[in-house]
Amino acid sequence: MIFRRAFPVFAVALFCLMSVSHLRPVCEKLLHPLEQVDPQIFQGGLAFVAGSLNHQPSLDALKQRDSITVYFSNSTDASRTTYTQINRFGDQCQHLPYNITMEGTTFNFDVANRFQLEASFRYTSCPDCVVMQWLVHSEKRRSLELYLLSRRRQVEEKEMEEFLDQLWCYNLPPPVVMDPTKELCPKEPQNTTTLAQGLAEKQDQ
């Protein structure tokens, strides 16, 4: 009788162990940092498709954006690049340029010692996508973030499912998915939000 009562618990535990064992190599592949990224993918900019993070105030702030566009611009120094993120809020556009230092496929944002922001690229089978992992550390915030960007506004179902699997591997909440019908902001700003304003906003998140 004791054995019969204990068996369901044992079976559930065994199933969990088998599931973890089965998923471990999948997660290792999905979370593997890329050794190189095709620079052609960045030509013309990338649109945010979806993203998730484990810092609730920043996740709520992400939901307020109608669209996000990212541009990488090389300088004469191959190790230094400009990262420009353009956020649309209704009919307002916010241009936030950052200097970043590249080390292989990992890059650090120059944010004037306000906080630490390190980013890297993760695996994706999507041919015109990148998956960025962000690690943010400050006195007010510590967060792990994962973003799916593409040259398209909307990806195929299997590509989104792969990104959802990556979020599961990181134990991140369901993503914020951008509305592909919302307009993107132009690359060149008309009324520019200054870098200092952008840094102050991000520090407060």
Side-chain angles (χ1 to χ4, degrees):
M1 181 65 68
I2 294 176
F3 175 77
R4 291 182 63 184
R5 290 179 178 176
F7 181 75
V9 176
F10 172 78
V12 170
L14 179 61
F15 174 77
C16 292
L17 289 173
M18 291 176 62
S19 298
V20 171
S21 176
H22 173 71
L23 289 171
R24 185 177 294 116
V26 175
C27 286
E28 288 178 356
K29 177 181 179 180
L30 292 177
L31 304 185
H32 185 71
L34 295 184
E35 296 181 359
Q36 61 181 4
V37 179
D38 183 359
Q40 298 293 325
I41 194 71
F42 301 116
Q43 292 187 0
L46 295 166
F48 268 55
V49 176
S52 180
L53 55 153
N54 58 5
H55 184 257
Q56 190 60 49
S58 298
L59 186 64
D60 293 339
L62 180 61
K63 296 176 182 178
Q64 303 305 312
R65 293 162 170 80
D66 291 321
S67 68
I68 303 175
T69 318
V70 167
Y71 293 91
F72 287 84
S73 303
N74 292 327
S75 65
T76 54
D77 183 349
S79 66
R80 297 190 65 82
T81 301
T82 299
Y83 170 98
T84 302
Q85 180 171 312
I86 309 173
N87 304 317
R88 175 176 283 279
F89 303 88
D91 59 354
Q92 299 295 317
C93 292
Q94 178 190 50
H95 290 67
L96 301 175
Y98 299 92
N99 292 323
I100 60 176
T101 302
M102 303 288 294
E103 297 179 6
T105 58
T106 299
F107 51 99
N108 292 280
F109 285 71
D110 181 1
V111 289
N113 296 321
R114 291 175 178 266
F115 54 92
Q116 293 181 332
L117 175 51
E118 179 182 287
S120 57
F121 296 105
R122 289 298 185 261
Y123 170 85
T124 178
S125 63
C126 173
D128 63 352
C129 301
V130 295
V131 172
M132 288 197 304
Q133 174 192 286
W134 286 21
L135 297 175
V136 183
H137 298 279
S138 72
E139 293 182 359
K140 298 181 179 180
R141 170 183 174 186
R142 289 182 176 271
S143 65
L144 168 65
E145 311 178 9
L146 206 67
Y147 299 108
L148 173 64
L149 294 80
S150 176
R151 300 182 73 171
R152 292 168 287 155
R153 298 296 307 280
Q154 190 172 12
V155 298
E156 300 292 335
E157 182 178 352
K158 64 178 182 179
E159 295 165 342
M160 180 59 74
E161 288 177 353
E162 181 181 75
F163 182 66
L164 294 177
D165 288 342
Q166 288 175 301
L167 297 182
W168 186 92
C169 292
Y170 273 118
N171 196 29
L172 289 172
V176 175
V177 179
M178 294 294 171
D179 183 348
T181 66
K182 298 293 185 179
E183 186 179 358
L184 296 175
C185 287
K187 181 178 181 180
E188 299 301 326
Q190 296 176 346
N191 296 316
T192 307
T193 297
T194 66
L195 178 58
Q197 289 173 320
L199 292 175
E201 176 188 279
K202 197 167 187 66
Q203 176 68 9
D204 290 337
Q205 292 180 359

